[in-house]
Amino acid sequence: AQSVTQLGSHVSVSEGALVLLRCNYSSSVPPYLFWYVQYPNQGLQLLLKYTSAATLVKGINGFEAEFKKSETSFHLTKPSAHMSDAAEYFCAVNRGSQGNLIFGKGTKLSVKP
Amino acid sequence: NAGVTQTPKFQVLKTGQSMTLQCAQDMNHEYMSWYRQDPGMGLRLIHYSVGAGITDQGEVPNGYNVSRSTTEDFPLRLLSAAPSQTSVYFCASSSTTGRNQPQHFGDGTRLSIL
């Protein structure tokens, strides 16, 4: 069975600092992994996805994530945080043969000036 | 460039009332789904559809019905609203049912049951 664990429900960084949001997955089959971002009162927007083509995946807004099979991790990083990055971030794994997703509980990112 | 459109954006119901949350997409996507989002719980799948006339249950289907008569529309029905159904509801769609397809989300319906 597939599952996703996001470590840390809240993360706070200073503007210009490294952003690191952690995601660990469990999957009985090779996983397809996704990171989504949710701004206040909006829907979810795809940041990036891992589909086995490359272990380092680049996404929008300067974010990237690295798939590490040995650690069952897919952590999201950004070298320099911007105030506009303040949002909630969700890691998700594909549930099975169809398009259903299993989401982590989310990590709310705050950026301090 | 509408994408996935959900209506209404906000709704307040009394316990026992019924209502339908609307979802429409203009991208000719085969796959559509409904999720609910609760604080600290992430998003949980309610129902999904892999094409017109085909629906199936997700993780938390109790108290909800769906139908898919057209490719574009996927309404979610609450038959008898309960306070436990107070939540934010998101509709999503993707072009195929493949495992690597990202989903496109609507802006959500915020539902309160009194």
Side-chain angles (χ1 to χ4, degrees), chain B residues 9-93:
Chain B
K9 294 190 183 303
F10 302 93
Q11 185 70 48
V12 178
L13 292 178
K14 295 181 179 179
T15 298
Q17 286 185 316
S18 63
M19 81 160 294
T20 299
L21 280 61
Q22 301 292 343
C23 175
Q25 52 90 9
D26 62 358
M27 299 173 282
N28 201 32
H29 283 175
E30 291 182 22
Y31 175 90
M32 297 186 73
S33 56
W34 278 100
Y35 293 85
R36 59 177 289 172
Q37 182 181 24
D38 301 293
M41 300 289 290
L43 281 78
R44 293 179 291 169
L45 182 68
I46 305 172
H47 286 284
Y48 65 97
S49 168
V50 300
I54 306 170
T55 64
D56 206 345
Q57 297 181 349
E59 186 184 356
V60 288
N62 293 342
Y64 307 95
N65 274 1
V66 292
S67 60
R68 182 100 178 267
S69 56
T70 67
T71 299
E72 294 78 20
D73 300 299
F74 191 44
L76 178 72
R77 297 183 188 84
L78 281 70
L79 304 177
S80 178
S84 61
Q85 294 177 305
T86 293
S87 188
V88 183
Y89 291 86
F90 288 99
C91 180
S93 72

